[in-house]
Amino acid sequence: MYLKVTKVKDKEYLKIVESYWDKKEKKVKHKVIANLGRLDQFIGQSALIKKLIEKLSDGKYVEIDEINKDGNADNYNYGYIVLKTVWNRYKLNGFFKKVLENKKIKNDKEIIKTIFTLIVNRALFSEYSKHRYFNKKDYFLFLNEELKLHNLYLTLEVLEEIKEELELHLLNLNKNLFNLDLEVALYDVTTLYFESKREDADIEIKDEENNNTIETKKGLRKFGLSKDFKINEVQIVLSLLIDKSGIPITFEIYEGNRAETTTLLDTLDRLKNKFGLNKITIVADRGISKWLNLKEIKLRGYEYIVAISFKSKNLSEKILDDKKNYTQISFSTEKGYYGYKEFIITEEKRVKISKNSSLYDETLDKENKGYIYQTIPLTHKIVATYSDIRAKKDESDRNRAIENLTKKINNKTAIKKSKFIKITNNNENSSSSNNDDSCNIGYEIDFEAIKEDAKFDGYYALASSDTSLSALEIINIHKNIYDIENSFRDLKNTLSIRPIYHYKRERIIGHIIVSFLAYMFLKHIEISLKNSKKTDDNLKESITIENIKDSLLSMEVTKTLIKDTHYYLKNKHTKLASRIVDLFKINLPKNIVDERDIKDYILGF
């Protein structure tokens, strides 16, 4: 409510005007509360005007200089109520209550509330450790009033115990919420490092009666091949399976030195045995497409679409073909040519089969080495593509690599193994007085290798075990592989899933479960926004996990003191936050509310 002066001809008139929100037109409007008359008649009558406004506003009128006299004003977040809305959609209160009762885990109310607060922390305050978050817990309005630090760590251990029940519950809910398509699943593996240089020992679980070893639990934190380029920290291996829309289905954690090619088989068995998924097509990149893996996928009754290496003579002769034998998909002056070629092929490869494979035959292991060699045939449809854009990228990547290698050779710095260099023996600088066979190792660019590599510029090959699929179907399904790469990027960067500071196995797994849930919640919001007909195309371009996180953080109120009473002033939030609020049908608090009203508002979710 404010005073407004309007001019009519040569006279000025004073009005009391109130702002209000028009729900239909979705904009702020103004209405005249009282026409006070000519302005010159009120000069020197400020006390009278003040009393009039105070009367009209039911005593809620205050002067600016009465607000926040103590000089302190803090911002608090209420945007986490959107996450609570998603929590309710997944019916997690009821699920956790039931499963904790079945497991006879006490303090279920405290644990359930702590699980939610851990999800809020990971989704919106992901750069904070559990301890740092506890010290900043008041930022989320009325969320953590009774939170205790030890509950955070205890809850992680509880989550580890109920992982499989939780994943199955979420899987069933996602089928209903998003019509989850489980005929195609994208699979990939990454590594997560710890701020530690200490490996975990393996734990032997023994029979209490005769002290025999029943099971050996391998320690999780191990040194291994890092995808984060970390060489001095221990790590774990994380596998993730998502549907083609990007919704996570399941994940698993392995010891840090586990080869990624061996993780897929375990996930496939879990899909069949735990989730009852009998028909599914696994989509993966080259890291998983080992010959034995592909055979194991087929043995379990599943199909695969994978990127494959095609530099063997048998395949390269068929793929490195004249463009006239390719079917054109598109052509433009800007992007150039893009086309494909398809053929069905049966190949045989001799592979090493270890004990953990269903193909292992103990009777053939005459020397009891724990492995055998066997020739395995596979039939699949090969879809080869050629793209001018990819050709330019391949050439650019190679030139950049050669440039870096040339600098290192000239500067005589250490060089890692590369297909573009060859080692030469250089004895020119050897001392003539030395009679030993020592020599200086030299490097030079291998131009023959560069020429050979350039032949493959622009080409890419996919293999599909389902030969009934068309080439375009195979290409379009495999394009979704970028979604799982984005999932790992969001988990690592936006949600700061690593580095991990926990050392207990149960807490490490609990931490990943919380990150999995936080990612699923944000992904739920993202997909809901993109699927909504009310979301305009311009806004859709800005819908990312990171922008959703920032939008929820923009939903803040400022706490201030007015006449010895605390009030909360709603701050301006982003346009994307407004769209989220509208989509989830959330009624926002009034622009200014007292403490009782804002608490009732928050607790109503």
Side-chain angles (χ1 to χ4, degrees):
M1 194 175 293
Y2 59 94
L3 293 174
K4 182 179 180 180
V5 177
T6 58
K7 196 170 185 179
V8 180
K9 295 184 179 180
D10 296 332
K11 305 292 183 181
E12 290 181 320
Y13 295 87
L14 190 62
K15 299 178 180 181
I16 298 177
V17 178
E18 183 180 48
S19 302
Y20 70 98
W21 178 257
D22 189 305
K23 289 184 178 180
K24 288 185 178 179
E25 298 187 27
K26 294 185 178 180
K27 66 179 182 180
V28 176
K29 288 190 172 183
H30 310 277
K31 62 181 178 181
V32 176
I33 300 298
N35 289 299
L36 301 180
R38 284 169 44 185
L39 177 62
D40 57 2
Q41 294 176 344
F42 284 91
I43 293 175
Q45 301 294 326
S46 58
L48 176 62
I49 294 173
K50 176 182 173 181
K51 281 187 176 183
L52 181 59
I53 294 178
E54 192 170 16
K55 186 72 175 174
L56 289 170
S57 61
D58 294 327
K60 294 181 179 178
Y61 166 79
V62 292
E63 293 191 66
I64 293 297
D65 59 2
E66 290 178 345
I67 297 176
N68 209 39
K69 286 186 176 180
D70 63 358
N72 296 316
D74 295 312
N75 287 348
Y76 297 89
N77 181 271
Y78 70 96
Y80 74 87
I81 61 174
V82 178
L83 298 178
K84 189 61 185 290
T85 306
V86 178
W87 168 282
N88 293 335
R89 284 190 175 187
Y90 281 112
K91 302 177 181 177
L92 286 170
N93 272 335
F95 164 75
F96 283 122
K97 190 175 188 304
K98 184 178 179 181
V99 76
L100 293 176
E101 283 178 358
N102 291 341
K103 299 257 182 193
K104 296 181 180 178
I105 296 173
K106 296 179 180 179
N107 301 323
D108 59 328
K109 287 184 180 179
E110 271 187 27
I111 289 170
I112 293 170
K113 190 171 182 181
T114 306
I115 291 171
F116 178 67
T117 198
L118 282 167
I119 293 170
V120 171
N121 170 37
R122 185 52 43 190
L124 303 182
F125 256 19
S126 49
E127 68 276 14
Y128 279 33
S129 66
K130 309 294 183 299
H131 192 273
R132 284 187 66 202
Y133 168 61
F134 182 77
N135 292 331
K136 283 279 290 183
K137 62 188 177 70
D138 292 339
Y139 172 68
F140 294 107
L141 201 58
F142 307 121
L143 175 64
N144 301 306
E145 290 180 312
E146 299 171 3
L147 184 66
K148 297 178 179 64
L149 184 58
H150 72 271
N151 277 349
L152 294 175
Y153 300 109
L154 173 65
T155 301
L156 294 178
E157 297 178 22
V158 171
L159 280 170
E160 184 270 342
E161 192 175 341
I162 62 174
K163 174 181 181 290
E164 289 193 353
E165 294 93 332
L166 176 60
E167 285 184 318
L168 186 57
H169 173 79
L170 295 172
L171 181 67
N172 290 330
L173 262 293
N174 276 322
K175 285 180 185 177
N176 297 326
L177 291 170
F178 290 114
N179 194 23
L180 194 67
D181 181 2
L182 292 174
E183 291 192 0
V184 174
L186 314 176
Y187 184 82
D188 205 356
V189 172
T190 192
T191 56
L192 304 173
Y193 65 89
F194 292 72
E195 290 293 335
S196 173
K197 295 176 174 59
R198 184 177 178 180
E199 287 191 323
D200 292 334
D202 296 344
I203 301 170
E204 289 188 349
I205 301 172
K206 299 197 173 189
D207 187 334
E208 292 182 1
E209 291 185 7
N210 52 29
N211 205 34
N212 290 336
T213 300
I214 302 172
E215 179 187 358
T216 300
K217 276 194 174 183
K218 293 189 175 181
L220 285 179
R221 301 184 305 169
K222 301 282 186 182
F223 289 107
L225 183 62
S226 171
K227 295 195 174 187
D228 293 312
F229 306 104
K230 298 285 182 178
I231 58 173
N232 295 320
E233 285 89 7
V234 291
Q235 64 179 24
I236 57 174
V237 172
L238 173 68
S239 70
L240 182 64
L241 197 75
I242 67 173
D243 90 316
K244 63 183 181 181
S245 66
I247 298 172
I249 299 170
T250 184
F251 73 91
E252 197 50 70
I253 302 165
Y254 303 95
E255 57 274 14
N257 57 3
R258 178 82 170 254
E260 69 176 78
T261 53
T262 67
T263 62
L264 176 62
L265 307 182
D266 182 61
T267 298
L268 294 178
D269 288 335
R270 290 182 70 244
L271 288 178
K272 186 175 285 289
N273 299 331
K274 302 295 183 183
F275 299 154
L277 301 178
N278 295 313
K279 184 184 178 184
I280 200 166
T281 298
I282 301 296
V283 183
D285 229 325
R286 291 179 184 174
I288 302 298
S289 60
K290 301 298 182 185
W291 205 254
L292 186 57
N293 272 352
L294 302 184
K295 183 64 177 179
E296 292 277 13
I297 291 172
K298 288 296 293 179
L299 284 173
R300 285 160 174 78
Y302 298 153
E303 304 290 350
Y304 59 78
I305 296 174
V306 294
I308 59 166
S309 173
F310 53 91
K311 294 190 178 181
S312 64
K313 186 177 180 181
N314 189 24
L315 274 180
S316 62
E317 286 180 351
K318 293 178 178 291
I319 291 173
L320 301 181
D321 205 347
D322 194 291
K323 283 186 191 175
K324 67 183 180 182
N325 294 321
Y326 273 62
T327 301
Q328 182 175 304
I329 297 174
S330 64
F331 180 83
S332 67
T333 53
E334 181 184 344
K335 295 184 178 181
Y337 175 87
Y338 178 41
Y340 71 91
K341 179 183 182 182
E342 62 179 308
F343 53 90
I344 295 173
I345 188 171
T346 298
E347 289 187 286
E348 292 184 343
K349 286 188 181 180
R350 185 171 172 79
V351 297
K352 182 180 179 180
I353 301 171
S354 58
K355 278 186 176 180
N356 63 347
S357 171
S358 59
L359 289 167
Y360 174 77
D361 186 346
E362 190 174 1
T363 62
L364 300 177
D365 190 358
K366 303 298 184 184
E367 298 179 16
N368 197 27
K369 291 183 177 180
Y371 61 85
I372 59 172
Y373 283 93
Q374 192 172 330
T375 300
I376 295 175
L378 282 176
T379 299
H380 40 226
K381 179 179 280 188
I382 300 293
V383 178
T385 63
Y386 174 83
S387 162
D388 283 337
I389 289 178
R390 177 178 282 276
K392 289 178 183 178
K393 182 183 183 302
D394 291 341
E395 182 182 18
S396 176
D397 290 345
R398 183 174 56 253
N399 288 341
R400 186 166 55 252
I402 294 168
E403 184 181 348
N404 290 334
L405 289 168
T406 303
K407 286 179 182 177
K408 288 182 177 181
I409 291 171
N410 293 337
N411 296 332
K412 297 183 178 180
T413 55
I415 297 177
K416 293 181 180 179
K417 185 179 178 181
S418 170
K419 60 184 176 182
F420 300 129
I421 61 171
K422 55 185 177 181
I423 299 174
T424 61
N425 291 336
N426 183 2
N427 291 310
E428 292 178 5
N429 297 325
S430 298
S431 172
S432 57
S433 60
N434 258 337
N435 294 324
D436 60 21
D437 294 329
S438 65
C439 65
N440 295 325
I441 296 177
Y443 302 92
E444 64 180 37
I445 301 296
D446 189 339
F447 292 102
E448 285 299 317
I450 293 171
K451 184 178 178 183
E452 180 66 20
D453 188 74
K455 293 194 307 185
F456 297 92
D457 287 357
Y459 291 94
Y460 195 74
L462 302 171
S464 170
S465 60
D466 186 351
T467 57
S468 67
L469 290 174
S470 71
L472 292 181
E473 284 177 318
I474 293 168
I475 291 169
N476 287 329
I477 290 172
H478 190 267
K479 277 181 180 177
N480 293 305
I481 198 69
Y482 299 111
D483 287 337
I484 198 162
E485 293 173 2
N486 290 334
S487 299
F488 278 134
R489 193 175 299 115
D490 285 328
L491 280 167
K492 287 184 172 184
N493 299 334
T494 307
L495 298 186
S496 302
I497 194 173
R498 86 287 189 257
I500 303 171
Y501 297 94
H502 301 289
Y503 63 89
K504 288 184 69 173
R505 181 189 185 92
E506 295 81 6
R507 292 181 185 179
I508 292 168
I509 296 172
H511 168 79
I512 305 299
I513 293 171
V514 169
S515 301
F516 179 85
L517 288 168
Y519 175 73
M520 178 177 283
F521 278 32
L522 293 174
K523 196 70 185 177
H524 180 105
I525 298 169
E526 179 192 351
I527 294 173
S528 298
L529 284 167
K530 288 180 176 178
N531 289 347
S532 172
K533 294 178 181 179
K534 293 182 179 179
T535 306
D536 60 68
D537 291 337
N538 291 331
L539 188 60
K540 280 183 180 179
E541 294 178 6
S542 68
I543 298 173
T544 64
I545 295 291
E546 186 171 5
N547 287 343
I548 290 169
K549 172 184 172 179
D550 291 342
S551 293
L552 298 188
L553 285 172
S554 75
M555 295 171 66
E556 291 184 324
V557 290
T558 299
K559 184 179 179 180
T560 188
L561 192 65
I562 303 175
K563 290 184 176 180
D564 299 322
T565 301
H566 282 115
Y567 286 87
Y568 293 80
L569 284 70
K570 187 175 67 181
N571 298 340
K572 186 178 180 180
H573 51 246
T574 66
K575 184 179 179 182
L576 183 56
S578 295
R579 183 69 197 95
I580 293 170
V581 165
D582 183 52
L583 177 68
F584 286 91
K585 298 179 180 178
I586 295 172
N587 294 318
L588 292 175
K590 295 178 181 178
N591 288 336
I592 179 167
V593 291
D594 61 28
E595 194 157 53
R596 185 189 64 186
D597 286 347
I598 193 71
K599 192 165 189 175
D600 288 344
Y601 170 80
I602 294 291
L603 296 179
F605 285 88

